[in-house]
């Protein structure tokens, strides 16, 4: 007996020692991963701690195949366009003696802030003024955010901003002490700048006051304080906008590092990916009258917001709008389900990687269910990052408790005395004690039926609005770097270009040949209505129409943006002011690719790129241009022709060959 007891005791000690050694080994493993050069990100990827589990049914085709080039390859006719935002004429450095200081307060979301910063830099250059670091109201009005980031530095890199603009404007981090004190006392002149003001507004209204008081404060709330299209003699100021947006406005280091990690994890499977921005915010849906695209409480929320905007003059129109008619006009966003149908019809297989961006998708994850049903690898930033990485991004924030407390305590004696002193019986029961109201922003909005005015934002909601800026900054980086980008909507809650428009403009500037679809919502609505009742049995004629339309938007969408979007936001179409062509005019006349030179000419790009950009030959072979139109297989048949695939395999091959011939003839006809 004693021997057995001793043996059990020894076994317990051995087991305990083994557990201690295992825990110590895991701890050392984490420390080594944390402090090695590769960092914790590589370790996290090795143990697969993220919620995304890639599902791939077949390998991606080789990059040199026509099928790959058609789906993921660059747009050949835009390969000659390169970014060039440097000054091209006489452009003097900023003088040391300026007319005074400009302090700016910027209100709005991510895209409004970015547009506004670019505009105020140009205004400072126009007025020969010193620009104090802009203040972002979304961060200064928030409570409990980290004190280590102040306003502008919460989102962007201040040092990069100052150094990049050293030859354009003089930028200081804060106002001088005397002017700062005068601002606190509200003794400096303030201008609530109108949206899309002309340069002459600043010359005639702001400049005289600036010279008199040596300081002015500008309040920008509409997402832009300067006209998008300036007169031809202001072309250098347009290029200044490009230098601000695409070079000076770099996100702070923590945002860039996390964006790089997410992008690395996204590309880890070794496959290209599609970035999709739904653009479905409550404000944009309200402004354009798209309430009937949703059901139950979401429709009611949109209508309530529309009533609120009509009373304040933001929206001019009726409260009840026929959403079906607006959709046919192209005024409503494309739903995720519709985007999924377009991508499948174009040829993307169901195991393609789709990254969903955007700080808000109205309707929540429920609206993305159809997209998940069509594609197995639909992910977002939350699937590729960890909570502690986001906490590190936010910094050391104050712990906030924004939950309703218990109702005030009332002594039983007081209740008993009130009951005795009440009127004669029978009498109604007393009302329940008052309780603080709390509303769940992700659930049912109880205030909709109670008041015409929406409740004030809680402290946590204010901080969440500041966090949205960081979320959209991450999405912005990934969308710009994506192999393919497609927007669901390109207008915000005031009818101006939105987040997706900025992304498309940045991609057009940085890499014009990258595949960026710009679907015509009016045309897409007609195409989708043709198969609304038999979506899984669409014919090849319909598929050809969809493919032809999406292929056409790769080029014609740029021309449309030049005619429409650029009038509202220069950053959504920074061509031709900020682009150059590697095709010389002599070469273009004798080139074997007249379509390429014709497109460059229609875009207005007449500037020849500097010699140092000539790093390699440009492929101008007509055969190579046509290669991107070849369809090797019909992967979309799994979605649309699943039931009849066996009976019509021969017909499918014939239709594909006919389609290839049609595409080649289309290119020969000289279509842009």
């Amino acid at each position: 007996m004693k021997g057995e007891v001793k043996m059990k005791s020894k076994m317990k000690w051995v087991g305990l020692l083994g557990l201690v050694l295992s825990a110590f080994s895991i701890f050392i493993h984490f420390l080594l991963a944390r402090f090695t050069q590769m960092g914790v990100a590589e370790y996290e990827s090795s143990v697969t701690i993220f919620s995304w589990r890639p599902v791939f049914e077949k390998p991606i085709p080789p990059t040199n195949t026509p099928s790959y080039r058609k789906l993921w390859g660059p747009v050949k006719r835009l390969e000659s366009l390169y970014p060039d935002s440097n000054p091209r004429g006489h452009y003097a450095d900023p003088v040391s003696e300026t007319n005074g200081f400009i302090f700016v307060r910027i209100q709005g979301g991510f895209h409004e802030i970015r547009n506004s910063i670019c505009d105020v830099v140009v205004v400072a250059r126009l007025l020969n003024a010193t620009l104090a670091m802009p203040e972002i109201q979304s961060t200064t009005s928030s409570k409990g955010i980290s004190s280590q980031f102040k306003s502008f530095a919460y989102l962007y890199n201040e040092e990069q901003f100052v150094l990049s603009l050293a030859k354009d404007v003089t930028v200081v981090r804060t106002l001088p002490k005397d002017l700062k004190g005068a601002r606190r006392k509200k003794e400096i002149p303030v201008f609530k700048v109108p949206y899309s003001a002309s340069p002459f507004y600043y010359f005639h209204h702001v400049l005289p006051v600036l010279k008199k008081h040596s300081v002015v404060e500008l309040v920008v709330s509409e997402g832009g304080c300067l006209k998008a299209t300036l007169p031809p003699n202001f072309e250098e100021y347009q290029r200044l906008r490009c230098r601000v947006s695409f070079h000076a406005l770099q996100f702070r280091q923590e945002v860039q590092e996390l964006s790089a990690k997410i992008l690395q994890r996204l590309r880890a499977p070794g496959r290209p990916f599609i970035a999709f921005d739904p653009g479905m915010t409550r404000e944009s849906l309200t402004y354009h009258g798209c309430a009937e695209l949703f059901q139950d409480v979401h429709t009611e929320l949109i209508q309530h917001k529309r009533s609120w905007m009509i009373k304040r003059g933001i929206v001019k129109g009726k409260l009840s709008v026929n959403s079906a008619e607006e959709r046919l006009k192209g005024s409503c966003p494309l739903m995720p389900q519709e985007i999924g149908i377009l991508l499948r019809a174009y040829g993307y297989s169901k195991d393609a990687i789709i990254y969903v961006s955007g700080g808000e998708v109205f309707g929540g994850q429920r609206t993305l269910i159809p997209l998940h049903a069509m594609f197995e690898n639909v992910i977002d930033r939350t699937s590729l990052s960890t909570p502690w990485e986001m906490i590190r991004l936010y910094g050391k924030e104050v712990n906030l408790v924004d939950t309703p407390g218990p109702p005030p305590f009332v002594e039983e004696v007081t209740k008993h005395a009130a009951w005795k002193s009440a009127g004669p019986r029978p009498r109604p029961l007393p009302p329940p004690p008052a309780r603080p109201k709390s509303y769940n922003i992700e659930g049912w909005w109880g205030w909709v039926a109670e008041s015409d005015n929406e409740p004030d934002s809680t402290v946590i909601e204010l901080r969440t609005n500041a966090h949205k800026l960081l979320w959209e900054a991450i999405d912005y980086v990934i969308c710009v770097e994506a192999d393919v980008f497609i927007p669901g909507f390109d207008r915000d809650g005031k009818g101006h270009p939105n987040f997706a428009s900025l992304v498309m403009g940045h991609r057009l500037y940085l890499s014009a040949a990258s595949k960026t679809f710009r679907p015509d919502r009016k045309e897409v609505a007609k195409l989708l209505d043709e198969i609304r009742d038999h979506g899984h049995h669409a014919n090849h004629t319909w598929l050809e129409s969809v493919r032809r339309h999406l292929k056409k938007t790769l080029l014609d969408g740029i021309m449309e943006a030049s005619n429409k979007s650029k009038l509202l936001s220069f950053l959504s179409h920074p061509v031709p002011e900020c682009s150059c062509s590697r095709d010389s005019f002599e070469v273009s006349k004798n080139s074997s690719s007249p379509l390429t030179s014709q497109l460059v000419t229609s875009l207005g790009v007449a500037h020849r790129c500097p010699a140092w950009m000539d790093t390699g030959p440009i492929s101008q072979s007509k055969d190579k241009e046509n290669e991107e139109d070849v369809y090797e297989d019909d992967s979309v048949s799994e979605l649309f022709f699943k039931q009849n695939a066996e009976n019509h395999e021969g017909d499918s091959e014939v239709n594909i060959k006919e389609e290839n011939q049609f595409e080649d003839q289309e290119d020969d006809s000289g279509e842009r």
Side-chain angles (χ1 to χ4, degrees):
M1 292 292 294
K2 292 182 179 180
E4 293 180 358
V5 173
K6 290 182 179 179
M7 182 60 68
K8 291 181 179 180
S9 178
K10 289 181 179 180
M11 293 296 293
K12 290 181 180 178
W13 282 107
V14 170
L16 180 62
L17 180 61
L19 290 175
V20 172
L21 291 176
S22 299
F24 182 73
S25 175
I26 294 174
F27 178 72
I28 294 298
H29 198 175
F30 270 106
L31 287 181
L32 290 175
R34 174 65 180 85
F35 292 104
T36 53
Q37 184 176 2
M38 297 302 293
V40 71
E42 295 293 334
Y43 181 78
E44 292 170 347
S45 299
S46 65
V47 297
T48 318
I49 61 176
F50 307 108
S51 60
W52 179 40
R53 299 294 185 269
V55 178
F56 301 120
E57 296 186 353
K58 55 184 179 180
I60 197 78
T63 57
N64 59 350
T65 59
S67 178
Y68 183 93
R69 288 193 292 270
K70 170 251 175 179
L71 295 175
W72 307 103
V75 182
K76 295 293 183 180
R77 299 178 200 169
L78 295 174
E79 283 189 329
S80 63
L81 294 183
Y82 276 70
D84 183 15
S85 59
N86 294 324
R88 299 174 189 172
H90 175 70
Y91 191 80
D93 293 341
V95 296
S96 57
E97 295 183 2
T98 61
N99 292 323
F101 293 86
I102 292 180
F103 180 80
V104 186
R105 286 189 291 129
I106 300 175
Q107 303 169 353
F110 177 88
H111 66 280
E112 293 169 328
I113 292 171
R114 197 173 186 91
N115 273 325
S116 300
I117 292 175
C118 296
D119 286 354
V120 298
V121 171
V122 174
V123 169
R125 173 79 186 191
L126 282 170
L127 303 183
N128 186 27
T130 300
L131 177 65
M133 199 65 67
E135 182 179 278
I136 300 175
Q137 291 294 97
S138 300
T139 60
T140 56
S141 61
S142 304
K143 307 296 181 182
I145 66 171
S146 178
S147 59
Q148 66 186 101
F149 308 116
K150 294 184 178 179
S151 190
F152 188 89
Y154 184 77
L155 185 60
Y156 293 110
N157 188 326
E158 284 189 348
E159 184 176 356
Q160 172 71 18
F161 185 74
V162 175
L163 293 177
S164 296
L165 298 177
K167 295 185 178 181
D168 295 298
V169 293
T170 303
V171 182
V172 295
R173 298 183 185 275
T174 59
L175 291 172
K177 289 185 178 180
D178 55 337
L179 297 180
K180 192 184 297 184
R183 179 178 173 269
R184 290 196 191 100
K185 298 177 182 178
K186 298 182 179 180
E187 296 177 352
I188 65 175
V190 179
F191 288 88
K192 291 186 178 180
V193 186
Y195 174 74
S196 189
S198 67
F200 304 101
Y201 168 84
Y202 294 96
F203 289 141
H204 291 89
H205 294 85
V206 180
L207 184 58
V209 179
L210 176 65
K211 290 182 176 180
K212 180 179 180 180
H213 296 272
S214 298
V215 61
V216 293
E217 179 176 337
L218 305 181
V219 180
V220 185
S221 60
E222 296 290 328
C225 60
L226 189 64
K227 273 188 174 181
T229 54
L230 299 177
N233 57 321
F234 288 87
E235 187 173 333
E236 289 298 339
Y237 294 94
Q238 299 287 58
R239 277 189 279 276
L240 174 56
R241 276 173 164 162
C242 294
R243 293 197 292 275
V244 178
S245 179
F246 307 135
H247 299 282
L249 282 180
Q250 301 292 329
F251 300 115
R252 61 181 168 92
Q253 183 177 357
E254 294 84 356
V255 178
Q256 292 188 43
E257 290 176 354
L258 183 55
S259 301
K261 289 179 182 179
I262 293 177
L263 193 60
Q264 180 183 4
R265 294 161 188 168
L266 192 58
R267 295 193 182 277
R271 289 171 173 253
F273 71 94
I274 304 170
F276 162 52
D277 180 69
M280 294 170 53
T281 63
R282 185 183 171 206
E283 285 72 20
S284 61
L285 293 165
T286 300
Y287 183 87
H288 296 280
C290 305
E292 296 173 7
L293 297 180
F294 299 87
Q295 297 176 350
D296 52 62
V297 68
H298 297 96
T299 299
E300 191 174 354
L301 282 169
I302 293 175
Q303 289 298 88
H304 186 278
K305 183 75 173 181
R306 185 171 178 84
S307 175
W308 182 87
M309 295 175 74
I310 289 175
K311 291 179 180 178
R312 285 155 181 78
I314 302 175
V315 173
K316 296 180 181 179
K318 298 179 180 179
L319 176 61
S320 298
V321 179
N322 190 330
S323 300
E325 293 182 358
E326 294 300 317
R327 174 180 170 275
L328 292 176
K329 294 177 182 177
S331 300
C332 292
L334 295 176
M335 302 295 285
Q337 178 182 3
E338 297 173 331
I339 291 292
I341 293 175
L342 292 179
L343 293 176
R344 296 288 282 123
Y346 191 73
Y348 293 101
S349 59
K350 63 180 180 180
D351 61 353
I353 303 174
I354 297 184
Y355 181 89
V356 180
S357 73
E360 174 189 357
V361 179
F362 188 75
Q365 291 297 317
R366 184 178 67 175
T367 60
L368 297 175
I369 291 177
L371 187 63
H372 282 272
M374 284 182 275
F375 292 93
E376 297 175 339
N377 296 308
V378 178
I379 52 176
D380 56 17
R381 65 179 174 277
T382 60
S383 306
L384 296 169
S385 61
T386 58
W388 52 85
E389 285 178 330
M390 299 304 297
I391 292 174
R392 182 186 176 191
L393 185 67
Y394 302 149
K396 296 180 180 180
E397 296 182 326
V398 178
N399 292 327
L400 300 177
V401 179
D402 196 20
T403 56
F409 177 74
V410 181
E411 296 182 359
E412 291 294 332
V413 178
T414 307
K415 289 183 179 181
H416 188 66
W419 180 260
K420 282 186 176 181
S421 60
R425 296 177 179 84
R427 53 184 176 271
L429 293 175
R435 297 182 181 179
K437 296 180 180 179
S438 63
Y439 306 107
N440 183 6
I441 196 170
E442 295 295 336
W444 184 275
W445 285 261
W447 46 263
V448 172
E450 295 182 1
S451 173
D452 292 336
N453 296 323
E454 300 189 13
D456 295 333
S457 298
T458 62
V459 177
I460 290 182
E461 288 173 358
L462 289 173
R463 189 162 75 175
T464 302
N465 289 335
H467 289 174
K468 286 180 180 179
L469 297 177
L470 302 178
W471 301 342
E472 294 194 357
I474 294 173
D475 290 340
Y476 186 85
V477 173
I478 295 175
C479 288
V480 170
E481 296 291 335
D483 299 276
V484 177
F485 178 75
I486 183 169
F489 203 42
D490 59 356
R491 294 289 182 271
D492 65 2
K494 297 177 182 177
H496 306 153
N498 66 351
F499 176 91
S501 298
L502 288 185
V503 170
M504 290 188 288
H506 199 150
R507 289 169 64 89
L508 181 60
Y509 170 81
L510 193 63
S511 178
S514 59
K515 205 171 235 70
T516 303
F517 294 110
R518 295 173 172 85
D520 184 345
R521 293 183 299 276
K522 184 176 180 180
E523 184 68 22
V524 169
K526 295 179 181 178
L527 290 171
L528 294 176
D529 283 347
E530 294 178 8
I531 61 163
R532 184 162 300 278
D533 297 329
H534 46 86
H536 290 270
H537 302 280
N539 54 42
H540 283 283
T541 303
W542 182 84
L543 287 178
E544 290 174 4
S545 300
V546 173
R547 289 167 171 170
R548 189 186 303 109
H549 173 72
L550 287 181
K551 177 180 174 296
K552 185 179 179 182
T553 64
L554 293 173
L555 300 175
D556 284 9
I558 298 178
M559 302 304 301
E560 184 178 356
S562 177
N563 297 328
K564 294 182 179 180
S565 297
K566 188 173 183 177
L567 300 177
L568 300 174
S569 171
F570 174 75
L571 297 180
S572 65
H573 188 81
V575 176
E577 292 85 351
C578 301
S579 297
C580 63
S581 174
R582 284 182 57 188
D583 279 333
S584 65
F585 300 106
E586 291 77 9
V587 173
S588 296
K589 292 178 181 178
N590 302 321
S591 175
S592 60
S593 178
L595 297 180
T596 300
S597 58
Q598 179 184 356
L599 176 64
V600 172
T601 304
S602 61
L603 289 174
V605 181
H607 180 66
R608 179 74 167 89
C609 290
W612 61 268
M613 289 189 181
D614 295 333
T615 56
I618 303 174
S619 60
Q620 295 178 343
S621 172
K622 188 173 183 179
D623 295 335
K624 291 185 177 180
E625 285 187 2
N626 290 339
E627 281 181 354
E628 66 180 276
D629 304 323
V630 177
Y631 293 82
E632 278 194 339
D633 59 1
D634 195 2
S635 59
V636 76
S637 60
E638 298 176 3
L639 175 64
F640 293 107
F641 309 113
K642 189 172 183 180
Q643 295 180 356
N644 301 323
E646 297 180 358
N647 299 331
H648 299 283
E649 287 183 357
D651 296 340
S652 177
E653 294 178 359
V654 174
N655 286 328
I656 294 170
K657 292 180 180 179
E658 292 177 353
E659 180 181 345
N660 294 339
Q661 295 176 1
F662 178 81
E663 294 288 346
D664 294 340
Q665 293 173 3
E666 190 177 52
D667 281 345
D668 294 338
S669 64
E671 182 185 29
R672 288 197 305 267

